[in-house]
Amino acid sequence: METKFLKIANGCAVSRSEIPYLPFTDFCDTALNIVKDGGKVVHYFAYKDDSVIKLIAVLRTDELLIATTDAPDSYPSFTTECEQFHMFEREIAEQFGINPQGHPWLKMVRYHPNYTEKPDIFGNDYNQDIPGNYDYYRVDGDEVHEVAVGPVHAGVIEPGHFRFNCIGERVFHLEIQLGYQHRGIENLLLDVENKRLPIIIESIAGDTTVANSTCMAQAIEALTQTDTDKGSKIIRTIALELERIANHTGDLGALSGDVAFLPPANYFGRMRGDFLNMTLLICGNRLGKGVVRPGGVRFSIDNDIRQELISRISVLEPQMQHVIDLLFETPSVRARFEGCGNVSTYDAEKLGLVGPAGRASGIQHDIRRDFPTEHYPDIDISGYAEPTCDVYARARVRADEIMHSINIIKSLLANEIETQTIDFGNYNLAPSSFVVTLNEAWRGELSHCVLTDDNGKIIKYKVKDPSFHNWNGLSMSLRDTGISDFPLNNKSFNLSYCGFDL
Amino acid sequence: MLKTLKNRFEQGYKTTSYPKTKIELVERYRGLPDINIDVEDDIAKICAAACPQDAIDEHKKTIDMGRCVFCGSCERLSEEKFVKFTRNFETSTSRREHLITEGSLPALAEHSKKHFKKLFGRSLQLRQISAAGCNACEADLNVLATPFFDLARFGINFVASPRHADGIVVTGPVSRNMKTAVLETFEAVPDPKVVIAVGSCAISGGPFRGSPEITEGLESLIQVDLFIPGCPPHPLTNLHALLNFFKS
């Protein structure tokens, strides 16, 4: 398709002067047309270039497309035509005070003052430090009632506020207000010394440490024209897959716990730990903090560790398969999973769901296959998706991915892995450049964007967690569902609060 | 049913015998730092400059474990001549200043307040507050409930309400947006109560230090009784801290 947007490649830097700088109407019309034709929004954000505020969009068809434009003070909301822009427009409004007129649900994302001198779009008083201090969507009626939950929840989990509009046990709508974990990461990244960058990135979302640090490393490598060796690509791939297995395993355990089937809940919980301990074996940290740095990896997988990993996996693989079988072949589990929390393929496409949540609703997209990085070009990732769109599908996708990831790791461990380990060194980034990196984190499409100015200083570091797309999927899944099925649906998505809140 | 039993048999008995028997963590694990205070000044200076957390005092030759994220940069740079991270995971302290270490820590059990042991030694119910970290500390607290650690066998549980709790366990750097929730949850716990800060963020702001959106250290809001350092602390570090501080 001919387009005014520029085709770019995942993880390849381009000069900012190459990015089409369009009049706003062209930018708007082209972006909307691409998305209406089935394209997806990877990024849409505002940034300050000197004193001018600009908008940039990275869209995804079977390739990545980019363009930029000057940001107007207000403009007719894209969301009214393409729902996918919903959260992105709210974020732009919050960060830069740009008003998307007619946005169907314009409210704050993370609850902080904007980065400009403009008045706050939402009329918030930030001296009151409660994001939940907001006029929630209301449903009126004699028997309609609201259930408010959080920010502090009953379990050892992250904070967020959930507001259910119910009639009896039935949920009309679930409104989710996040922002409690907002740490100001994107702004912090603009001012810190290079040495702090990997540490902050690793702490965006601890359960996605490896994927976030891989996105960051690829971006820095592209902006410094650094190559990584084959061994480090393999080790990053192994670490990414271990992260995927550990988290999916934990989720299956949580799902069995929520349907009160305790044996697999405990077995999955224990096996999750065994996979985290494999990451510990490689790098000394259970969540993979310290593995990936720009230029490669800090830890080798020598033969002793390789053999140890192989032997641990050979014990765990059959156990994993047996517990998965136990879970899915138990009628009481199936009765709770099946038909619960549907998000139709139509809705999932409209919302732009990614990762296992998208694949459970029939969307095949997987960065490992569509825009592969690291060692993934050499790995066969077949297109797959579940048709049933329910909790069962979201559990099934995870189970299948666990077994698939185990096979990937086994094949990568079959041969010796030679790599030159690196340590973090200082660097200078290419001036006036742009790079976008995408990786398939365990929750789905994770992406970082870095823009530099004429001196190679970072002027915008944009992080997009897959949860940024998927939280609305959870809201949709709850419609017309019993409120008692909320925990089950919530675990079936298991989205990131801190990755979203940044 | 048969399948359930077969799985039960295959899974076996997994619970650790710690603390009765010692556990050796893997070689690459980075626990309590062993510091050579006689190292040349130049090496200490290079390490201090490279430390992403600015946790090293090059003159006093100390590491602030409340800031440290145990990345191991100083160990690599000094080729273990200045710092070597040992496999000792028993790193918690009852005072913030004890975390600024030359390589040794006071025995935690001897520094815990006696009345805590008397009150909570047989039953300790904790309310966890996740306050804007990265969810890593939460993850490694959560695993204490899995069969390997099985925290409940010691009479320690994480409970659903502050009203049921003897204290709070805070993770994360307490964002501006969580401050009210942290303080209100703390208020809701009946006296006498304990406060535990878990992880580099809750102790010092961690990787997010310098951000105007966070509080650098829970201690600036409420008095903390127990500090558990790490990024995140290993589950055994958490377990050791809870057992030594509260059990006799």
Side-chain angles (χ1 to χ4, degrees):
Chain A
M1 187 179 68
E2 265 315 300
T3 167
K4 292 172 179 169
F5 275 50
L6 175 76
K7 288 176 202 168
I8 51 169
N10 184 9
C12 292
V14 292
S15 164
R16 278 174 54 205
S17 60
E18 290 174 52
I19 300 173
Y21 182 34
L22 305 177
F24 183 75
T25 47
D26 277 4
F27 176 86
C28 165
D29 293 346
T30 316
L32 287 173
N33 282 333
I34 292 169
V35 176
K36 280 177 190 165
D37 284 344
K40 294 285 181 285
V41 185
V42 178
H43 286 281
Y44 176 44
F45 61 86
Y47 65 100
K48 221 185 253 180
D49 183 16
D50 285 330
S51 55
V52 185
I53 298 172
K54 292 181 176 167
L55 294 169
I56 210 162
V58 180
L59 306 176
R60 158 165 70 75
T61 55
D62 49 0
E63 48 213 355
L64 296 171
L65 301 164
I66 184 170
T68 183
T69 185
D70 286 339
D73 280 341
S74 70
Y75 66 93
S77 166
F78 295 1
T79 307
T80 53
E81 296 188 51
C82 293
E83 291 83 345
Q84 276 188 59
F85 287 98
H86 167 92
M87 198 69 89
F88 293 99
E89 288 196 316
R90 279 171 50 193
E91 185 184 53
I92 291 168
E94 181 169 72
Q95 293 187 345
F96 289 93
I98 296 163
N99 187 10
Q101 289 166 330
H103 188 287
W105 206 327
L106 191 62
K107 66 163 185 163
M108 65 278 184
V109 180
R110 306 186 177 100
Y111 197 78
H112 60 78
N114 71 38
Y115 308 155
T116 69
E117 305 295 312
K118 292 184 202 168
D120 188 63
I121 291 269
F122 317 104
N124 286 332
D125 170 12
Y126 296 100
N127 291 318
Q128 295 187 310
D129 55 6
I130 310 172
N133 197 350
Y134 146 85
D135 224 359
Y136 286 91
Y137 181 75
R138 278 183 57 187
V139 180
D140 283 331
D142 281 351
E143 304 195 6
V144 175
H145 64 101
E146 283 186 5
V147 180
V149 184
V152 179
H153 296 284
V156 183
I157 46 172
E158 298 177 80
H161 184 82
F162 298 95
R163 187 69 64 105
F164 300 86
N165 289 294
C166 301
I167 182 156
E169 293 280 297
R170 217 172 81 220
V171 178
F172 282 133
H173 181 69
L174 159 63
E175 186 174 356
I176 300 168
Q177 179 57 45
L178 302 178
Y180 293 89
Q181 305 256 68
H182 182 56
R183 292 147 286 169
I185 288 178
E186 287 180 354
N187 279 353
L188 188 60
L189 289 173
L190 304 182
D191 293 326
V192 297
E193 291 174 77
N194 288 347
K195 67 179 184 179
R196 287 186 62 187
L197 181 71
I199 305 294
I200 297 170
I201 295 290
E202 284 179 336
S203 298
I204 292 171
D207 53 25
T208 316
T209 293
V210 182
N212 269 307
S213 48
T214 302
C215 274
M216 175 274 299
Q218 289 167 353
I220 300 299
E221 284 152 13
L223 293 171
T224 52
Q225 295 185 316
T226 309
D227 287 327
T228 55
D229 65 21
K230 187 183 172 192
S232 66
K233 289 189 170 82
I234 292 175
I235 292 170
R236 285 180 183 181
T237 306
I238 291 171
L240 281 164
E241 294 305 322
L242 283 173
E243 187 167 84
R244 192 179 325 279
I245 296 170
N247 282 297
H248 282 355
T249 306
D251 285 350
L252 290 180
L255 283 166
S256 26
D258 274 352
V259 296
F261 190 38
L262 297 184
N266 284 297
Y267 306 154
F268 282 126
R270 193 272 299 175
M271 289 190 288
R272 170 177 171 273
D274 287 344
F275 282 99
L276 292 176
N277 284 339
M278 288 190 214
T279 305
L280 180 77
L281 183 70
I282 295 171
C283 72
N285 184 294
R286 283 157 54 91
L287 298 159
K289 294 192 179 193
V291 180
V292 181
R293 287 292 181 272
V297 289
R298 282 169 91 223
F299 296 92
S300 63
I301 295 185
D302 58 29
N303 267 335
D304 288 348
I305 288 182
R306 193 169 66 86
Q307 295 301 343
E308 175 65 21
L309 290 171
I310 291 172
S311 99
R312 289 192 196 182
I313 286 177
S314 69
V315 176
L316 278 165
E317 187 182 11
Q319 291 183 2
M320 184 68 83
Q321 187 63 60
H322 296 157
V323 182
I324 286 173
D325 291 346
L326 172 64
L327 180 72
F328 286 99
E329 289 170 20
T330 300
S332 59
V333 171
R334 293 290 287 255
R336 288 290 308 280
F337 281 11
E338 288 176 10
C340 182
N342 272 57
V343 181
S344 68
T345 307
Y346 176 84
D347 285 341
E349 288 278 5
K350 285 268 180 194
L351 293 169
L353 298 193
V354 294
R359 292 191 280 278
S361 284
I363 300 171
Q364 287 196 356
H365 175 59
D366 186 330
I367 298 287
R368 295 178 296 172
R369 184 173 58 108
D370 299 340
F371 300 96
T373 62
E374 304 303 337
H375 199 66
Y376 290 111
D378 295 329
I379 298 172
D380 180 31
I381 312 272
S382 58
Y384 66 99
E386 286 286 320
T388 55
C389 309
D390 50 4
V391 169
Y392 170 80
R394 293 189 282 275
R396 188 75 248 176
V397 164
R398 283 181 166 76
D400 292 346
E401 287 185 10
I402 289 170
M403 299 317 292
H404 183 230
S405 296
I406 288 176
N407 278 326
I408 292 176
I409 292 174
K410 272 170 44 185
S411 73
L412 294 178
L413 290 173
N415 300 308
E416 281 189 35
I417 303 168
E418 284 176 34
T419 184
Q420 193 71 43
T421 57
I422 53 115
D423 264 307
F424 186 73
N426 218 342
Y427 51 75
N428 291 311
L429 301 180
S432 299
S433 297
F434 168 91
V435 64
V436 60
T437 57
L438 293 89
N439 285 286
E440 186 73 15
W442 65 277
R443 286 192 185 92
E445 179 185 292
L446 176 73
S447 181
H448 291 196
C449 269
V450 183
L451 282 99
T452 59
D453 68 7
D454 295 345
N455 303 314
K457 183 183 181 309
I458 298 175
I459 54 167
K460 182 78 181 179
Y461 196 117
K462 189 83 203 77
V463 177
K464 186 210 62 187
D465 191 274
S467 307
F468 198 72
H469 297 284
N470 286 358
W471 275 109
N472 279 318
L474 174 61
S475 280
M476 287 303 289
S477 76
L478 259 287
R479 291 204 172 168
D480 212 23
T481 298
I483 192 170
S484 53
D485 277 333
F486 170 70
L488 189 59
N489 276 287
N490 189 27
K491 304 270 179 23
S492 77
F493 279 89
N494 190 12
L495 302 174
S496 179
Y497 301 68
C498 54
F500 177 96
D501 285 346
L502 297 174
Chain B
M1 191 66 207
L2 194 60
K3 202 171 218 116
T4 311
L5 291 172
K6 270 167 75 179
N7 267 285
R8 178 69 196 86
F9 185 72
E10 184 178 45
Q11 291 285 327
Y13 181 81
K14 300 288 183 192
T15 305
T16 175
S17 53
Y18 180 85
K20 278 191 187 134
T21 52
K22 281 265 169 201
I23 289 188
E24 186 90 324
L25 284 175
V26 296
E27 197 188 326
R28 290 179 179 179
Y29 169 75
R30 293 174 294 281
L32 182 69
D34 188 3
I35 297 171
N36 171 19
I37 54 165
D38 299 324
V39 74
E40 296 152 48
D41 289 350
D42 287 355
I43 295 179
K45 194 175 173 184
I46 291 168
C47 291
C51 174
Q53 286 299 97
D54 295 322
I56 297 173
D57 186 324
E58 60 180 274
H59 305 295
K60 292 182 184 156
K61 312 252 169 66
T62 55
I63 292 185
D64 180 354
M65 288 205 303
R67 275 197 165 203
C68 179
V69 290
F70 299 82
C71 69
S73 295
C74 49
E75 179 179 66
R76 286 163 172 251
L77 271 175
S78 71
E79 294 169 344
E80 301 185 3
K81 283 181 199 139
F82 175 35
V83 182
K84 178 171 173 21
F85 286 93
T86 68
R87 285 189 256 178
N88 181 356
F89 55 80
E90 300 178 346
T91 51
S92 303
T93 65
S94 61
R95 299 174 74 102
R96 174 68 181 92
E97 61 267 27
H98 289 162
L99 288 173
I100 301 169
T101 181
E102 294 170 354
S104 62
L105 295 175
L108 180 63
E110 288 159 24
H111 276 76
S112 68
K113 296 178 185 132
K114 286 223 166 53
H115 70 278
F116 281 160
K117 291 199 183 203
K118 197 174 162 203
L119 281 166
F120 306 129
R122 290 161 65 86
S123 161
L124 176 67
Q125 312 298 315
L126 295 167
R127 173 62 253 185
Q128 204 273 329
I129 311 171
S130 168
C134 73
N135 201 25
C137 290
E138 289 84 340
D140 271 350
L141 281 169
N142 250 329
V143 296
L144 295 178
T146 60
F148 181 81
F149 302 99
D150 192 15
L151 187 65
R153 74 197 147 115
F154 302 106
I156 306 174
N157 293 290
F158 286 96
V159 294
S161 165
R163 294 289 194 214
H164 304 161
D166 302 312
I168 57 170
V169 177
V170 179
T171 52
V174 193
S175 58
R176 188 176 52 77
N177 287 343
M178 267 307 281
K179 199 162 122 189
T180 301
V182 168
L183 293 174
E184 287 187 359
T185 308
F186 172 70
E187 286 298 318
V189 177
D191 282 321
K193 54 191 165 190
V194 293
V195 177
I196 304 171
V198 173
S200 166
C201 288
I203 298 172
S204 69
F208 310 109
R209 68 201 164 83
S211 170
E213 293 286 340
I214 61 130
T215 310
E216 294 194 358
L218 177 65
E219 232 188 348
S220 65
L221 297 176
I222 41 181
Q223 193 193 324
V224 177
D225 301 299
L226 176 58
F227 299 86
I228 308 182
C231 188
H234 192 281
L236 285 167
T237 307
N238 290 321
L239 187 58
H240 164 265
L242 295 176
L243 295 183
N244 278 269
F245 196 70
F246 294 105
K247 314 289 282 187
S248 19

